[in-house]
Amino acid sequence: MPYSEPNYTPPAAIPEFLIRHTTLRQLQIFEAIVRLGSFTRAAEELFLTQPTVSMQIKKLSDSLGLALFEQIGRNVRPTEPGKELYQAVRSIFQTLANLEMKFSDLKGIRRGRLRLGVITTAKYFAPEVLGEFCSLYPGIEVALKVSNRDRIIERIQANEDDLYIIGQAPLDQPDVETHPFAPNPLVMMARRDHPLAREKQIPLARLADEPLILREPGSGIRDATLRLFEQHGLRPKVRMELGSNEAIKHAIVGGLGISVMSLHTLALEGPEGPVALLDVQGFPIVRQWYMVYPKGRPLSLVAQAFLDFSLEIEPQLRQRMQRQWPELAEHLRYR
C-alpha cells in the first residue's frame, strides 16, 4: 500500500519553478546575508569568496525576477520580497535541521553532528572538552562558532546551534535551560616585571590610576570589571579597548596596562609565562561557565551526550586548574 498521510501535497502538485531554478546552496547564502547584514560576513561564515556569494545571489534574484536586497550604507537589508523569502527559507532550514537530528538519532551516537556556539574566552578550553568527547565518539562531526556574548545571545534567540557555552548566567533570557559547567575565575593580570606583581593583598583603589585595558562593548568580562569598580565607588583609568584576548595579552606584555581576564586565557603560557596574576583584594572573581540551550527544544542524541559528558568531567577540569594554579586552589574547589 502506498505511503500517504492526511493533508500531504505530493511533489507533482507543487509548482516546479523554485525547484527547477533555485538551489539549497543559494538559499543558504541568502539566509546568511540577511542574518548577518553583509555579503562579506556571509562569505566569511560560509568559507566562500565574496564574488561567489554575489554571483549566487544574482542568479537567485534573476531566477525570481525580483530584487532581494537594497544597499543601506555599508550594509544590506532585504527588500519586501526578500523578507518573504527569508521567512520561507528559515522554515525550510528548520525542517531540515529537525530531519538531520532525527537521522542522527536513528544512526545512534556513533554518527551525527554537534553545533556548538561559545563566547570568545571559552575557546581556550572548549576545544579540549570537544577533543575528549570526539575521542570517545570519533564519528561525530563538530561545528564550533566563537563570538562575543551579544552575538552568542543572538544565535541562541535564532536557534542556530545545538548548545552554547557562556560565562554569565543569562538572567535576561528566561527561555533558556542553564547548566553550570566548570569554574571561570576572573583575575587581574599585569606584565611579570610590573611593580605591583611583587605586592600582596593590593587594595582595588590602588589600581584606579593604573592604565586599564578592556575588551570591546558586548563582552561579559568588560561588564564585570566595570561593575566591580563601580561597586567600590571607583572610576578606572581606561587606556584602550581591544577586540580579542590575545591582543590584550600582547598589550599587557608591551607594558600598556593591566587587565581583568579569565584565567583560561593563560592556559598555554601557564604560571611562568610573561603575564603575572596580581594579588588584588576581591580577586579572583569566581564565576562559572554555563551550558545553555533554548527551553522546550529537544536536544539531539549527540547534543544530549555532549551535555552529559561535559557535566561529568567538570571535577576533572577543576582539578587540572588547581594543579596548574595552586595559589588559586581554594577558589577552584566546590562551594
Side-chain angles (χ1 to χ4, degrees):
M1 180 177 179
Y3 177 79
S4 63
E5 59 183 75
N7 303 320
Y8 173 68
T9 302
I14 299 175
E16 295 187 359
F17 182 82
L18 289 176
I19 294 176
R20 289 180 177 274
H21 295 89
T22 63
T23 67
L24 282 175
R25 187 58 161 169
Q26 289 173 347
L27 297 180
Q28 181 190 37
I29 294 170
F30 169 78
E31 187 277 336
I33 295 172
V34 175
R35 174 166 44 83
L36 299 173
S38 164
F39 278 61
T40 300
R41 292 177 64 190
E44 292 173 351
E45 178 173 283
L46 298 175
F47 301 102
L48 298 172
T49 64
Q50 189 165 336
T52 297
V53 168
S54 298
M55 178 184 66
Q56 291 300 322
I57 292 302
K58 184 178 186 306
K59 287 182 178 180
L60 179 61
S61 181
D62 290 346
S63 296
L64 298 176
L66 294 166
L68 299 175
F69 291 102
E70 55 185 348
Q71 192 79 30
I72 305 295
R74 299 180 64 180
N75 296 324
V76 293
R77 71 180 182 189
T79 59
E80 285 303 315
K83 293 177 182 177
E84 293 292 333
L85 179 61
Y86 181 68
Q87 294 304 317
V89 167
R90 289 302 299 268
S91 177
I92 292 170
F93 285 177
Q94 183 61 52
T95 299
L96 291 176
N98 292 338
L99 181 62
E100 182 180 43
M101 183 187 305
K102 291 177 182 177
F103 283 168
S104 295
D105 290 347
L106 290 172
K107 293 174 183 176
I109 193 62
R110 292 170 298 176
R111 299 284 301 276
R113 189 164 186 261
L114 175 67
R115 298 168 299 179
L116 185 64
V118 305
I119 65 167
T120 309
T121 306
K123 72 180 182 181
Y124 293 96
F125 81 96
E128 178 184 352
V129 179
L130 281 171
E132 294 186 28
F133 178 73
C134 290
S135 69
L136 292 176
Y137 306 107
I140 302 299
E141 297 179 11
V142 177
L144 179 64
K145 182 66 178 180
V146 180
S147 192
N148 70 16
R149 186 178 188 275
D150 284 354
R151 181 69 188 101
I152 290 298
I153 293 298
E154 291 175 5
R155 294 182 71 88
I156 294 173
Q157 293 171 340
N159 199 20
E160 295 184 29
D161 310 280
D162 297 311
L163 293 165
Y164 305 86
I165 298 177
I166 59 177
Q168 183 177 335
L171 300 178
D172 56 342
Q173 302 292 320
D175 296 326
V176 298
E177 296 283 352
T178 303
H179 297 270
F181 159 67
N184 178 28
L186 305 186
V187 294
M188 186 72 76
M189 301 182 183
R191 195 164 78 170
R192 185 156 295 280
D193 61 357
H194 193 286
L196 291 177
R198 297 186 296 270
E199 298 192 20
K200 300 294 183 181
Q201 286 295 293
I202 306 166
L204 186 64
R206 286 273 309 274
L207 303 181
D209 292 328
E210 290 287 331
L212 183 66
I213 306 169
L214 290 177
R215 282 291 303 268
E216 79 288 1
S219 162
I221 295 179
R222 172 199 175 97
D223 294 343
T225 302
L226 294 178
R227 186 163 53 247
L228 179 65
F229 277 93
E230 183 179 348
Q231 288 171 352
H232 287 78
L234 301 171
R235 185 173 183 179
K237 181 182 176 182
V238 179
R239 184 169 196 174
M240 63 176 62
E241 299 175 350
L242 295 174
S244 76
N245 294 317
E246 293 305 311
I248 290 178
K249 286 194 290 185
H250 281 290
I252 291 173
V253 175
L256 294 175
I258 62 176
S259 185
V260 176
M261 301 176 71
S262 169
L263 185 62
H264 287 282
T265 61
L266 296 181
L268 294 180
E269 295 90 341
E272 304 305 320
V275 175
L277 307 187
L278 297 185
D279 185 3
V280 180
Q281 293 176 8
F283 281 86
I285 302 174
V286 181
R287 304 207 307 178
Q288 290 281 114
W289 292 111
Y290 295 88
M291 192 86 72
V292 305
Y293 58 93
K295 187 175 293 185
R297 190 199 70 187
L299 292 177
S300 69
L301 187 64
V302 172
Q304 185 64 57
F306 180 73
L307 174 61
D308 294 342
F309 173 81
S310 300
L311 297 178
E312 286 173 6
I313 68 167
E314 198 238 13
Q316 300 175 33
L317 296 176
R318 287 181 182 271
Q319 290 170 7
R320 290 175 194 171
M321 295 183 72
Q322 288 173 19
R323 287 194 299 268
Q324 188 171 24
W325 305 93
E327 70 272 28
L328 299 180
E330 64 177 287
H331 300 286
L332 298 172
R333 295 192 180 97
Y334 288 99
R335 291 175 177 270

